[in-house]
Structure formats: structure tokens, C-alpha cells
Amino acid sequence: VRGLCPLKQILRQNEDNTLIFEARFESGNLQKVVKVNEFEYQLTLRTDLYTSRHTQWYYFQVSNMQAGMPYRFTIVNFTNHNSLYKHGLRPLLYSEADAKKHKVGWRRTGNEIKYYKNNAGQGGHQYFSLTWTFQFPHDLDTCYFAHCYPYTYSNLQEYLVAISKDPLKSTFCKIHILCHSLAGNIVYVLTITNPPESGKGTKRKAVILTARVHPGETNSSWIMKGFLDYILGNSGTAQLLRDNFVFKVVPMLNPDGVIVGNHRCSLTGQDLNRKYRSNGKKCYPSIWYTRNMIKRVMGEHDVFLYCDIHGHNGKKNVFMYGCERKQQAKSPYMHPRVFPLLLSKSCPDKFSFTDCRFRVRKSKEGTGRVVMWKMGINNSYTLEAS
């Protein structure tokens, strides 16, 4: 809040060139800004609600800038000791003026990017800083910075409304309410399959896909959107897939966390991807109802594949985590490495088989991937995207 005392405003001759920051909008995250000098600002992110951790996701608005001046931003309270910002990752910038005039959207920005340990640690916490310099493209523009391309709950709702209004897509994509989140937001489930031809009873296998259990991993929503665009399209392959499979899709498992701008947790301050063994229907409704939905599907169909889509903050490439017993079954189609290998063959420039891992660690016992595997889905994966 600026200019609390009107008298001061009148007495000042010089224009105030201080940047104005704002993050009180859907999925926004920024807690505090300190102006260090004319073009340098120190930023603090808000931790996930009801936790003292998980500072990674940022998304904020800046206005009142001067074009062409060298600004420096430093975010001072990251908690991950390793970061892709050390390996070439750059912050994202969106300029409203560029979007309007030149149809340019989000783009990577920043020079002199450094990610380093700082001395602000308190109470056993170790903090890391991300610093970068840049120039705004236009005077007095409205700009946004983000950790990854934002994808909000409203974006999802608009997308689903468009499907439901499409006379063709709505015949083979049914949108239902899976449950309501703690804050009362709808968790959607989509059923995608072509209507069976009359007189033909088909026993289709099921494919189950979920995304966005971790709110800051917005890349998982973009991958999910890409999948939906494809499977709802009119290509021959999409038709064939809809003829042969029933797709059950939960596109956003943690809408509350997405809306408030959390990085990892739900409104209970918990990582929902560790709660698949829990019976906390009240605390973790989306997880409880997803697991139950999958049990129901397993009763009606042979489940060919389960995949939970994530974004990774420490590793490059797109890769999978699978589940493998020490003594793997002889038959090759039972082998969990087959599907990721096929993916790497069909898109070697995108998917890295060498980054895939198939060990089931003790710390991952409560994840969707491991719980679904133990429920009997052999091809049970987490898809990670850098």
C-alpha cells in the first residue's frame, strides 16, 4: 500500500519510480518486497499455507516500471539446495503491452542468474537466494513473473466448459463431479471413450490419468491439456484409442492449493501425494475419492495403465518413475519398463529413458504410483517433466 499520508504526496516534486507489486490474484504468490536501491528489490515468497516450508512457486504482478533500465530482483527464501536455476533455467516474464501489440505471451528472461546459499537461515532452516537482472520492455506496463507457465483452476474450468459445449466432443467425453475439495471447489473426473456400436458389447481396457496434485508443478497441467487436446481430437489414432480404451482423467487433484498459490500442499498443509494409503475422506477428499473411483474401475475393466503427471524442479528432461519387483515376471508385457521404453522410441527428443527409475523407495509408499501398483495395476507410473 503506497501513499498513506496524502500531504507527503502533495509536497513531493519528483515522480515516484518505485515498482508496485501485487500477488493477490488466483495462484499468485509473493509475501514481501524490500526496495534496496532505485532498481534493486529483495523479494520474499509466502510458504505453503499452514506450513513453514515449500517456497518454490512464485507468480506476481509488477507495474510502474521504466523501460530499458537494469533492474535486479533477488528472491531470498528458497529452501531447495539444488535447483535448475543453477543449470540454465530462467524466470518467466509476461508483458501486457507485448501481448496486446505483438501477440507475445510468456517468455524466459533474466541475465546474471545465480542461485546460492544465503545467511538468512533461522531455527535450523537453510535458505537460498535466486537473483537475476533484466530490463522491462515498456514504460508503465503491467508485467508478471512466474516460476513456470501458470495454469489456474479457472483455466481448467474454461477448458471443460468448452468441451461440454462442443456437440461432437461431448458425445465421447463426459464430465462429472468426483467430489468437492475442503474449500468447496469441484474436483472433476472425465470419462473419455467412443460410444459402443449398437449390438456390440465391448470389453475395453481402462487408462487412468491424474495431474496437478502439487500446485506449483503447472507443467503437469499443460501436459494434461496436451493429452486432452489429442485424445479429444479427430485424428485416426485418437479415434482408435477411444474405440479401444476407456480413459478416466482427473485433471486437477488439488484445486485449493492451485488457487491459493501453494507449491506442494493442500489446505491441510499436507502433501497429498503421500496420502493414498490414508482413510482421511474428510481431510483429503480428492485422494480418497480418486482411489475409490480407481477401485470401481478395476472391478469393471482391466486397467492397462495408471499415470500421475508431475513437474520436476531438480532434474532435466521428461521421464518416468515406475514400480518393479525384485523378481520381475517372465512375460515381457508384464514388464514395467516396456511402456517408458516405447515412449522414448516414439519421441527421443522429448522423453529420456535413461532418467527413468523403477525402484520403490520406502519414502514413496504413500504415493499414487506405489499404492495403485500394490492394488494390482502393473503399469503404474509417475510422469515427470522438467
Side-chain angles (χ1 to χ4, degrees):
V1 179
R2 294 164 70 246
L4 289 177
C5 174
L7 190 64
K8 274 186 195 163
Q9 296 288 65
I10 294 160
L11 290 177
R12 286 182 63 177
Q13 298 302 310
N14 296 344
E15 243 181 272
D16 188 351
N17 291 324
T18 302
L19 294 178
I20 301 167
F21 290 82
E22 180 57 84
R24 289 168 297 183
F25 50 79
E26 188 178 359
S27 296
N29 187 317
L30 183 66
Q31 185 175 25
K32 184 175 83 167
V33 182
V34 175
K35 185 176 182 179
V36 180
N37 60 45
E38 193 177 2
F39 297 110
E40 187 173 349
Y41 293 82
Q42 183 179 296
L43 288 66
T44 306
L45 303 183
R46 179 181 53 68
T47 60
D48 280 10
L49 292 189
Y50 314 116
T51 77
S52 59
R53 302 165 57 215
H54 309 301
T55 45
Q56 181 75 47
W57 171 252
Y58 57 87
Y59 179 25
F60 56 86
Q61 182 195 80
V62 186
S63 53
N64 201 42
M65 68 281 290
Q66 298 174 59
M69 301 308 290
Y71 285 89
R72 178 178 285 283
F73 283 0
T74 306
I75 298 173
V76 296
N77 66 329
F78 282 109
T79 48
N80 286 356
H81 63 89
N82 199 13
S83 171
L84 286 172
Y85 288 113
K86 286 181 178 176
H87 307 286
L89 181 65
R90 301 162 81 203
L92 280 161
L93 170 72
Y94 182 99
S95 153
E96 285 191 356
D98 272 353
K100 210 171 178 177
K101 285 181 194 163
H102 309 297
K103 299 275 186 283
V104 173
W106 288 98
R107 60 179 186 266
R108 297 280 172 193
T109 189
N111 298 304
E112 300 167 43
I113 296 169
K114 289 187 178 60
Y115 188 91
Y116 57 92
K117 194 162 142 180
N118 63 39
N119 299 321
Q122 293 169 343
H125 278 299
Q126 179 60 66
Y127 290 112
F128 297 82
S129 292
L130 167 68
T131 187
W132 72 98
T133 61
F134 63 95
Q135 295 179 1
F136 287 107
H138 303 281
D139 273 331
L140 303 178
D141 189 5
T142 300
C143 289
Y144 296 83
F145 284 90
H147 171 59
C148 190
Y149 304 92
Y151 191 100
T152 63
Y153 183 58
S154 296
N155 292 148
L156 174 67
Q157 287 183 305
E158 285 162 18
Y159 186 79
L160 296 181
V161 164
I163 293 170
S164 65
K165 285 183 174 172
D166 186 299
L168 181 61
K169 288 178 183 172
S170 55
T171 60
F172 52 76
C173 177
K174 304 296 178 197
I175 301 166
H176 295 288
I177 296 173
L178 178 70
C179 63
H180 286 84
S181 68
L182 284 184
N185 295 301
I186 295 171
V187 179
Y188 296 95
V189 59
L190 283 54
T191 305
I192 302 164
T193 192
N194 282 340
E197 290 174 34
S198 56
K200 279 190 184 173
T202 57
K203 197 72 178 140
R204 294 174 181 178
K205 291 191 175 187
V207 171
I208 296 158
L209 297 177
T210 58
R212 207 66 186 277
V213 72
H214 295 144
E217 296 170 12
T218 58
N219 31 2
S220 75
S221 281
W222 289 107
I223 290 175
M224 177 59 88
K225 181 190 179 299
F227 166 75
L228 290 171
D229 287 348
Y230 182 81
I231 203 70
L232 299 174
N234 52 14
S235 70
T237 322
Q239 299 268 16
L240 193 65
L241 286 165
R242 296 196 303 265
D243 282 338
N244 287 289
F245 292 95
V246 177
F247 293 89
K248 286 280 189 183
V249 178
V250 184
M252 195 174 280
L253 282 162
N254 188 356
D256 297 353
V258 169
I259 289 165
V260 300
N262 276 3
H263 176 62
R264 197 166 179 86
C265 297
S266 70
L267 288 194
T268 54
Q270 297 290 326
D271 179 347
L272 293 181
N273 196 35
R274 296 294 182 274
K275 300 298 174 188
Y276 279 90
R277 290 186 298 182
S278 163
N279 284 321
K281 184 177 174 180
K282 274 205 169 116
C283 293
Y284 322 117
S286 65
I287 299 304
W288 192 90
Y289 279 96
T290 296
R291 192 184 62 199
N292 264 31
M293 176 269 287
I294 292 170
K295 279 182 184 165
R296 257 197 331 277
V297 172
M298 289 175 81
E300 296 162 14
H301 303 270
D302 180 8
V303 176
F304 171 69
L305 179 123
Y306 162 87
C307 184
D308 186 27
I309 306 170
H310 287 249
H312 205 288
N313 287 301
K315 285 174 76 172
K316 294 181 179 183
N317 301 324
V318 181
F319 54 94
M320 276 179 154
Y321 295 128
C323 303
E324 195 170 68
R325 284 181 184 82
K326 287 202 174 86
Q327 309 294 302
Q328 195 59 44
K330 289 278 189 286
S331 48
Y333 66 88
M334 292 291 285
H335 209 295
R337 295 180 185 232
V338 172
F339 184 73
L341 186 65
L342 289 172
L343 265 182
S344 72
K345 298 282 187 209
S346 62
C347 44
D349 59 324
K350 306 274 191 305
F351 189 89
S352 165
F353 186 72
T354 50
D355 284 303
C356 295
R357 296 290 177 267
F358 299 91
R359 237 177 84 195
V360 179
R361 292 170 180 271
K362 196 140 191 67
S363 62
K364 309 286 185 180
E365 299 263 314
T367 62
R369 161 178 65 104
V370 176
V371 171
M372 299 314 153
W373 177 62
K374 289 189 171 171
M375 273 165 48
I377 301 173
N378 193 58
N379 292 315
S380 184
Y381 303 102
T382 300
L383 177 75
E384 293 278 3
S386 169

